[in-house]
Amino acid sequence: MNHVGTFPDLLTRIGAFARERLVPLEAQVADSDLIPEDIIDEIRALGLFGITLPKEYGGLALTASEEVQLVFELCWAAPAFRAYVGANNSLGGRAILWGGSEAQRTHYLPRIASGELITAFALTEPGSGSDATALGTHAKRRDDGCWVINGSKRFITGAPEADLINVVARTDPHSSGGQGVSIFLVERGTPGLVQSPPDRKMGQQGMHTGDLHFDDCVVSADALLGEEGKGFRLTMRTIDRGRLYIASACVGLAARLIHESLQYALERQQFGRPIAEFQLLQAMLADSQADYLAARSFVLQTAKRCDDGEQISMDASCCKLFASEMVSKVADRAVQIFGGAGYMQSSAVQRLYRDARVYRIYEGTTQIQQTTIAKHMIRQATMM
Ligand SMILES: Cc1cc2nc3c(=O)[nH]c(=O)nc-3n(C[C@H](O)[C@H](O)[C@H](O)COP(=O)(O)OP(=O)(O)OC[C@H]3O[C@@H](n4cnc5c(N)ncnc54)[C@H](O)[C@@H]3O)c2cc1C
């Protein structure tokens, strides 16, 4: 990894990388649906595949507070670049760090942190989305200890290219809900695993999602991640933490959208003066800035509480809910500020508007955050 110097140095480096290397490539990446290999190499060299993984596994070992600030900087550029490293840093890598045996950690984490391995976290299925425990994918243990996985996953980030997939499957056929669910580490090329070509998405081109199919896919006993039957708890723990990560990505993107909006409002002239002088335009700019600062402060505060060892489950949901709704509003206002130009394919804001939309959907939709937050509130109130 290439993180030498202080944390502020690293932030400066990532900010410059996003502005000077990534932003100029955004349109090309969107058109080709491909991040150039030399850029992926630079991302690797910057250590961005292992932001919070411990140093002993080759990661940057950033705290949550540092991580969110780094993501603010990285997400000045189109979200696909952050998403490309997303599973390694969040659901994929972290699940192995928290749930893996020492053998699994030493085998996989250094290659995850270096970006040699691309990981994916496969929970969602055709019949199991918000109801994440309605899993159809199941794994059965054979007499020789190996597991046989059958089922299908969909919309999985990194599925087409992933080298290592954390697969959530039911292992106790008599169980229901979050009980009797386990996670398996399935490597690319395992017989019975089919990784489908990329989906055609509304936005975030360059980051791929796809289906995964498991047809009598056999993995050895040591592919089980964590305790048998306890995989859903580990999944939820990593998703909780992942929500803070997603919220920080929303904040970074909002900063960029506000920048684009302000620059355009200062340059574009109507009625003989810059549109930034019209108070109705100023209201949009001001609302976006206030929304952005509120989300930024909230994310920083929650990250600090996470670093202090506090339970942040509800607050992480609140952050994800607030920041994802915030960035959608900011993106919508950006398109409005650009007027007709904002509706044209040639403008960055229409692309970022489409990119932003998914933040209200994945890692728990807005409605699921709302029900989760309310459940926490009710539980807290009735425990007293
Ligand atoms: C770009 C992208 C990347 C993704 N990456 C991954 C990944 O890497 N790994 C992975 O496992 N999954 C991934 N997903 C899947 C994502 O997490 C799901 O799409 C999401 O959780 C919603 O599930 P669903 O699509 O089945 O929608 P549904 O669950 O069918 O929801 C449809 C609508 O019903 C609402 N709804 C459902 N239940 C309730 C309820 N109880 N109360 C109120 N409203 C409700 C929802 O909020 C939504 O508005 C990705 C999705 C996308 C689009």
Side-chain angles (χ1 to χ4, degrees):
M1 299 301 101
N2 200 11
H3 173 33
V4 281
T6 62
F7 177 65
D9 289 343
L10 177 67
L11 280 188
T12 305
R13 203 173 319 146
I14 301 303
F17 177 64
R19 285 163 178 79
E20 292 159 23
R21 294 290 290 141
L22 303 183
V23 169
L25 281 171
E26 284 176 348
Q28 177 196 317
V29 168
D31 287 346
S32 62
D33 197 15
L34 208 63
I35 300 177
E37 203 51 50
D38 59 328
I39 288 293
I40 295 172
D41 286 343
E42 287 183 49
I43 291 173
R44 284 192 183 105
L46 284 164
L48 295 178
F49 280 97
I51 298 171
T52 56
L53 290 176
K55 286 217 161 87
E56 61 187 296
Y57 300 117
L60 297 182
L62 298 191
T63 62
S65 301
E66 290 170 336
E67 177 193 27
V68 297
Q69 292 177 69
L70 183 145
V71 175
F72 293 164
E73 290 301 317
L74 179 62
C75 289
W76 183 269
F81 297 108
R82 194 282 316 159
Y84 196 84
V85 301
N88 282 39
N89 282 300
S90 185
L91 307 184
R94 199 167 280 138
I96 296 174
L97 179 67
W98 285 348
S101 62
E102 195 43 47
Q104 287 167 330
R105 290 172 174 198
T106 36
H107 185 62
Y108 290 119
L109 289 180
R111 288 182 293 153
I112 289 175
S114 69
E116 180 191 333
L117 293 182
I118 299 296
T119 63
F121 193 92
L123 173 65
T124 304
E125 303 184 356
S128 171
S130 298
D131 184 3
T133 62
L135 294 168
T137 300
H138 54 90
K140 200 172 169 199
R141 201 194 331 246
R142 286 194 322 207
D143 291 344
D144 64 359
C146 289
W147 291 89
V148 186
I149 307 173
N150 278 287
S152 292
K153 299 287 176 181
R154 74 168 177 181
F155 305 153
I156 306 305
T157 302
E161 53 268 280
D163 303 296
L164 179 68
I165 303 157
N166 297 17
V167 182
V168 186
R170 190 165 294 285
T171 42
D172 178 356
H174 307 297
S175 65
S176 60
Q179 305 298 318
V181 170
S182 305
I183 305 179
F184 296 93
L185 299 173
V186 181
E187 295 186 10
R188 184 180 195 82
T190 304
L193 164 66
V194 178
Q195 299 176 248
S196 296
D199 299 321
R200 297 187 63 207
K201 308 189 304 312
M202 174 178 174
Q204 298 211 12
Q205 276 71 27
M207 175 278 280
H208 301 144
T209 62
D211 289 355
L212 295 166
H213 302 286
F214 303 88
D215 184 11
D216 285 336
C217 176
V218 179
V219 292
S220 62
D222 56 17
L224 177 69
L225 180 66
E227 231 180 301
E228 181 184 337
K230 301 277 193 282
F232 197 71
R233 194 179 299 171
L234 178 58
T235 299
M236 288 321 296
R237 192 177 159 211
T238 51
I239 287 180
D240 268 358
R241 185 65 177 72
R243 285 173 177 161
L244 185 60
Y245 179 65
I246 294 297
S248 59
C250 296
V251 170
L253 177 55
R256 165 72 183 285
L257 284 158
I258 292 169
H259 168 80
E260 298 284 343
S261 303
L262 183 58
Q263 290 307 112
Y264 188 79
L266 290 168
E267 282 160 21
R268 172 74 176 158
Q269 302 247 345
Q270 284 296 282
F271 300 96
R273 48 194 172 132
I275 58 171
E277 289 185 14
F278 299 121
Q279 289 186 338
L280 293 176
L281 250 291
Q282 290 175 0
M284 284 195 273
L285 289 169
D287 283 350
S288 288
Q289 182 70 2
D291 286 347
Y292 155 72
L293 283 179
R296 190 177 198 278
S297 308
F298 189 13
V299 167
L300 285 168
Q301 175 191 294
T302 306
K304 161 104 182 35
R305 292 191 49 224
C306 178
D307 288 332
D308 291 345
E310 291 184 41
Q311 172 58 255
I312 60 151
S313 188
M314 181 178 76
D315 290 28
S317 267
C318 291
C319 279
K320 202 270 183 182
L321 167 68
F322 186 81
S324 61
E325 293 289 329
M326 175 280 296
V327 75
S328 263
K329 281 187 272 182
V330 170
D332 187 68
R333 290 187 201 113
V335 172
Q336 196 66 19
I337 289 167
F338 271 70
Y343 199 70
M344 295 297 137
Q345 290 262 340
S346 52
S347 78
V349 291
Q350 62 76 30
R351 179 166 34 73
L352 298 173
Y353 169 87
R354 287 185 284 107
D355 290 346
R357 188 61 183 83
V358 79
Y359 286 132
R360 288 157 61 195
I361 296 172
Y362 64 19
E363 298 212 19
T365 63
T366 284
Q367 291 70 37
I368 291 306
Q369 306 308 330
Q370 288 170 323
T371 57
T372 304
I373 294 160
K375 268 184 213 151
H376 278 286
M377 293 168 68
I378 292 165
R379 198 180 310 135
Q380 280 171 11
T382 51
M383 269 167 58
M384 287 183 180

